[in-house]
Amino acid sequence: MKPTQVFVVRHGETTWNKEQRLQGHLDSQLTPKGIAQAQALGENLKHHDFDAIYASDLTRARVTAENIASEKHCPITLEPQLRERHLGIFQGHTRKELAEKFPVEAKPYLNYKPDYEIPEGESLVQFCQRSMDCFNQLVSQHKQGKILIVTHGGVLTCLFKTVVGVPLSTPRNFVLLNTSLNVFSHHKGRWILESWGDLSHLQNMTALDDS
């Protein structure tokens, strides 16, 4: 029995990404560069036939998926469980603003305390459990198939750490950029990381670097 292949993509650049503002379940629009990133990835993936395409229902992921799949005859299924971590009272703020406005509440968040539940939001443990439950459900629905998932940086971080065995409390020490292509496989109950951080589709986008 062959494995299920899972292509996982972070959404394109947004206006709040440029401002380094925490988005969580709030939304900001893709920048022109973000749209171009998604279209470039779509061109790169045009020869791949996916059994299904899933996206977080947040606008930035949905629009990225629509641009990637614009020429594919495969519908996009929106999945709320693929949303970014709910950052509660921190949403819409920069990290600098967190230290100024929420000095007590922000400390355990900034120090990667997995069980800390952000006021009005989720803990890292809750978030990663939600994300992995969703990934496991999707691969169970597409055994031996190939699926594309468009989601968020936090979701990808949870998947990466779970698959390679990195504790959730460990600060991220790997690159995770907009529309990076990351390929996993799932076989006999086991996840495998096949490739990480492919940005080859962006090699001709230097003209948009300052957008």
Side-chain angles (χ1 to χ4, degrees):
M1 186 171 73
K2 69 177 184 178
T4 302
Q5 265 201 313
V6 186
F7 288 57
V8 191
V9 177
R10 184 188 177 198
H11 61 78
E13 181 190 75
T14 70
T15 56
W16 279 12
N17 285 156
K18 292 187 69 174
E19 297 172 9
Q20 298 184 328
R21 197 169 295 280
L22 300 175
Q23 298 180 107
H25 283 200
L26 298 182
D27 239 331
S28 65
Q29 299 301 311
L30 293 187
T31 63
K33 180 178 179 179
I35 293 173
Q37 289 171 332
Q39 292 172 341
L41 181 54
E43 178 66 19
N44 180 270
L45 294 176
K46 67 181 181 180
H47 298 302
H48 287 268
D49 292 321
F50 294 104
D51 298 300
I53 299 175
Y54 294 91
S56 157
D57 64 339
L58 294 174
T59 302
R60 58 191 185 272
R62 175 181 58 79
V63 174
T64 298
E66 289 171 350
N67 278 277
I68 292 172
S70 61
E71 296 185 16
K72 291 187 177 297
H73 302 291
C74 185
I76 298 167
T77 301
L78 299 182
E79 176 49 73
Q81 295 301 99
L82 290 170
R83 285 186 175 195
E84 182 61 279
R85 179 180 177 183
H86 197 313
L87 298 176
I89 61 173
F90 301 156
Q91 296 183 154
H93 297 285
T94 65
R95 286 178 177 263
K96 181 181 178 181
E97 289 171 347
L98 294 190
E100 296 170 349
K101 297 182 178 182
F102 310 104
V104 175
E105 297 91 339
K107 188 174 181 180
Y109 166 71
L110 296 173
N111 286 301
Y112 293 89
K113 300 299 183 183
D115 292 313
Y116 174 63
E117 189 172 333
I118 300 169
E120 302 177 24
E122 294 176 291
S123 72
L124 193 52
V125 170
Q126 291 168 334
F127 167 52
C128 286
Q129 185 64 59
R130 163 169 66 83
S131 301
M132 290 309 303
D133 284 349
C134 185
F135 280 119
N136 287 323
Q137 178 63 34
L138 293 180
V139 295
S140 73
Q141 294 173 198
H142 299 282
K143 292 180 180 178
Q144 302 185 62
K146 182 194 292 188
I147 61 176
L148 173 66
I149 296 175
V150 182
T151 183
H152 306 269
V155 177
L156 263 162
T157 296
C158 286
L159 180 59
F160 179 92
K161 286 185 174 182
T162 300
V163 172
V164 304
V166 176
L168 294 180
S169 58
T170 302
R172 195 174 76 198
N173 60 354
F174 49 88
V175 176
L176 181 50
L177 300 176
N178 294 109
T179 68
S180 58
L181 178 61
N182 312 282
V183 182
F184 295 80
S185 61
H186 187 270
H187 187 55
K188 295 183 178 179
R190 182 187 176 199
W191 283 94
I192 297 171
L193 174 61
E194 294 190 1
S195 65
W196 181 261
D198 182 3
L199 292 173
S200 59
H201 54 286
L202 304 183
Q203 60 186 355
N204 297 320
M205 284 189 55
T206 54
L208 287 169
D209 282 348
D210 296 324
S211 68

